[in-house]
């Protein structure tokens, strides 16, 4: 005998089921932010160490390409969902947005090379925009806020470049002072901690707390 | 005079299945079972009824060597669900 429901019970069941499914699927929603955030931080610090220790600026250039490789591998090893968990329409939209933004990095590199503009600032702005867009779509104040903070921080790289150009005599720098020129690498790591790692941990903590309550 | 509630959706298990499927691209059998807490037999019967009415589409696929049953809501199912919710709201004067 099938269980029949009153009108109120039906509405409650619909609301509860939708909410439970959403809570379960959002359990590890911070994971991609943590994977990509920590990868960028690690590679930035590696590049900083390589550049400072070798005394050659740009030594670490090719190691930047480890970011997509390591990020992709870690995403496969630690997926956001168990293999039987479905994708929502929002997931699909967000994954397409990030795909477009990731593809945008290639022309950003070309622009940075030919216009001698600041690649750190451009990529930070791209990624921060992705975080803010994600936040707006999933209605997460945390992602939106940290995305906009990241957008603000992306301007620091240009300001630093301007300061370097106008107030530092690069020719006069001795080898021991060359680390000054590498400051953007450290700043880049710091900005990614602020705009990806911190919100990723906050989201995971919040979602796990919500899951344990439901 | 209120219109009648769709009898196919007015059962706890089938309504729960439709509520899950309305928010995802597709869901596999094991996920639906975990979320609804239903037995495999009851869920199979419920899914067959929904599929027979054209509310959901069932695909039998494989993940590696393991068989997989994927369910997704159809436009007809989405419309039926929407109408069901509208009628409920009418009953409850929401």
């Amino acid at each position: 005998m099938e269980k029949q429901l009153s009108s109120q019970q039906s509405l409650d069941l619909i609301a509860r089921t939708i909410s439970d499914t959403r809570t379960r699927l959002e359990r590890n929603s911070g994971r991609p932010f943590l994977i990509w955030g920590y990868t960028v931080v690690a590679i930035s610090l590696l590049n900083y160490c390589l550049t400072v220790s070798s005394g050659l600026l740009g030594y670490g250039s090719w190691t930047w390409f480890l970011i997509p490789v390591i990020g992709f591998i870690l995403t496969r090893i630690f997926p956001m969902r168990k293999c039987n968990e479905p994708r929502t329409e929002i997931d699909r939209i967000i994954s397409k947005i990030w795909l477009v933004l990731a593809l945008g990095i290639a022309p950003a590199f070309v622009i940075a090379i030919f216009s001698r503009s600041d690649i750190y600032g451009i990529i930070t702005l791209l990624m921060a925009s992705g975080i803010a867009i994600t936040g707006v779509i999933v209605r997460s104040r945390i992602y939106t806020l940290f995305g906009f903070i990241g957008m603000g921080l992306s301007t620091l790289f240009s300001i630093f470049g301007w300061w370097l150009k106008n107030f530092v005599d690069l020719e006069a720098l001795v080898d021991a002072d060359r680390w000054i020129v590498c400051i953007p690498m450290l700043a880049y790591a710091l900005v990614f901690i602020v705009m990806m790692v911190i919100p990723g941990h906050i989201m995971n903590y919040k979602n796990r707390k919500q899951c344990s309550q439901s | 005079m209120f219109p009648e509630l769709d009898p196919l959706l007015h059962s706890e298990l089938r309504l729960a299945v439709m509520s899950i499927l309305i928010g995802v691209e597709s869901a596999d059998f094991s996920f639906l079972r975990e979320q609804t807490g239903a037995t495999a037999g009851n869920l199979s019967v419920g899914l067959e009824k929904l599929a027979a009415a054209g509310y959901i589409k069932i695909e039998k696929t494989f993940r590696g060597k393991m068989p997989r049953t994927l369910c997704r809501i159809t436009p007809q199912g989405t419309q039926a669900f929407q109408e069901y919710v509208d009628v409920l709201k009418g009953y409850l004067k929401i």
Side-chain angles (χ1 to χ4, degrees), chain A residues 104-105 107-113 115-129 154-155 157-158 188:
Chain A
I105 290 177
F109 261 113
V110 178
I111 292 167
I113 290 165
S115 67
R116 291 183 174 270
S117 53
D118 183 38
I119 186 72
Y120 297 108
I122 295 173
I123 292 184
T124 303
L125 184 60
L126 265 178
M127 297 298 103
S129 306
S154 69
T155 58
F157 297 102
S158 302
Y188 196 56

Side-chain angles (χ1 to χ4, degrees), chain A residues 169-189:
Chain A
D169 184 1
L170 292 173
E171 298 297 320
L173 282 183
V174 291
D175 279 349
D177 293 330
R178 288 268 174 189
W179 64 273
I180 293 171
V181 187
C182 302
I183 284 176
M185 291 183 194
L186 288 180
Y188 196 56

Side-chain angles (χ1 to χ4, degrees), chain B residues 28-58:
Chain B
D28 80 4
F29 188 84
S30 62
F31 179 81
L32 290 173
R33 222 177 87 176
E34 283 169 24
Q35 283 298 104
T36 57
T39 63
N42 281 347
L43 183 59
S44 288
V45 172
L47 292 177
E48 287 302 331
K49 285 186 182 175
L50 290 170
Y55 289 180
I56 65 168
K57 199 176 160 200
I58 300 175

Side-chain angles (χ1 to χ4, degrees), chain A residues 77-90:
Chain A
I77 297 172
F78 304 106
M80 197 167 80
R81 304 264 161 82
K82 281 201 254 172
C83 57
N84 76 332
E85 289 178 345
R87 265 168 42 121
T88 62
E89 185 63 16
I90 300 266

Side-chain angles (χ1 to χ4, degrees), chain A residues 120-142:
Chain A
Y120 297 108
I122 295 173
I123 292 184
T124 303
L125 184 60
L126 265 178
M127 297 298 103
S129 306
I131 295 164
I133 293 169
T134 304
V136 170
I137 291 175
V138 302
R139 293 179 193 162
S140 160
R141 275 190 219 153
I142 292 164

Side-chain angles (χ1 to χ4, degrees), chain A residues 2-25 82-93, chain B residues 5 7 9-17 19-20 22-28 30-31 34-36 49 63 68 81 84-85 88-89 91-92 94:
Chain A
E2 283 181 348
K3 186 175 174 185
Q4 295 296 310
L5 303 162
S6 70
S7 306
Q8 187 60 53
Q9 283 173 324
S10 294
L11 266 189
D12 290 345
L13 174 72
I14 292 167
R16 196 174 61 243
T17 309
I18 290 173
S19 166
D20 286 352
T21 307
R22 200 179 153 194
T23 303
R24 176 173 170 173
L25 296 180
K82 281 201 254 172
C83 57
N84 76 332
E85 289 178 345
R87 265 168 42 121
T88 62
E89 185 63 16
I90 300 266
D91 290 336
R92 196 185 64 78
I93 293 167
Chain B
L5 284 165
L9 295 182
H10 203 55
S11 106
E12 191 174 14
L13 178 57
R14 291 194 294 270
L15 187 58
V17 168
S19 303
I20 294 167
I22 199 85
V24 298
E25 281 185 340
S26 63
D28 80 4
S30 62
F31 179 81
E34 283 169 24
Q35 283 298 104
T36 57
K49 285 186 182 175
R63 187 194 289 129
R68 188 185 191 199
F81 186 79
Y84 181 83
V85 172
L88 277 183
K89 284 179 177 172
Y91 273 118
L92 296 167
I94 296 173

